[in-house]
Amino acid sequence: MPANRNKNIYTIRTNVRAAIEVFENISQAADQLNINRQQLTKYISGTMSPSIQTLSRIGSYFNCEIDDFLLNKNDFIYKINFKNTLSDNFSIAKNSFNQLVDQASLSS
């Protein structure tokens, strides 16, 4: 059991680190995720593990679930990139649709 727990902690740390690579620096990541910078540093260094609530907050930012942090790094990165691409594409399509509706309303 302890070996599996250690593996999970390592996997979570690895994936949190991978997720925050989108930010310019640790301070920006902490600000955007609304997490204390020192705490975030401890999470990615492995000296502390994030709580479920903190993982949920990070997951919400990256449009992923808490259990996604237990995926291997490549699967995790693929999943958050895929979900965020879908989310971005949906937002673009929604904005385009709303612009068409607005233009149609102005034309009538």
Side-chain angles (χ1 to χ4, degrees), residues 20 23 25-38 40:
I20 67 167
F23 299 107
N25 55 52
I26 193 81
S27 294
Q28 183 188 39
D31 288 343
Q32 290 295 312
L33 299 171
N34 196 27
I35 298 172
N36 179 282
R37 186 184 58 78
Q38 290 84 3
L40 186 56

Side-chain angles (χ1 to χ4, degrees), residues 15 26 33 37-39 42 49 52 54 56 74 76 80 88 93 95 100-101 106:
N15 288 336
I26 193 81
L33 299 171
R37 186 184 58 78
Q38 290 84 3
Q39 291 295 108
K42 290 177 183 179
S49 295
I52 296 296
T54 301
S56 178
N74 290 335
F76 175 77
I80 65 172
D88 291 346
N95 289 338
L100 289 172
V101 170
L106 293 174

Side-chain angles (χ1 to χ4, degrees), residues 71-89:
L71 295 170
N72 72 56
K73 182 181 176 183
N74 290 335
D75 290 343
F76 175 77
I77 291 170
Y78 176 80
K79 191 164 190 174
I80 65 172
N81 286 337
F82 180 74
K83 284 185 172 184
N84 289 324
T85 299
L86 286 177
S87 180
D88 291 346
N89 288 342

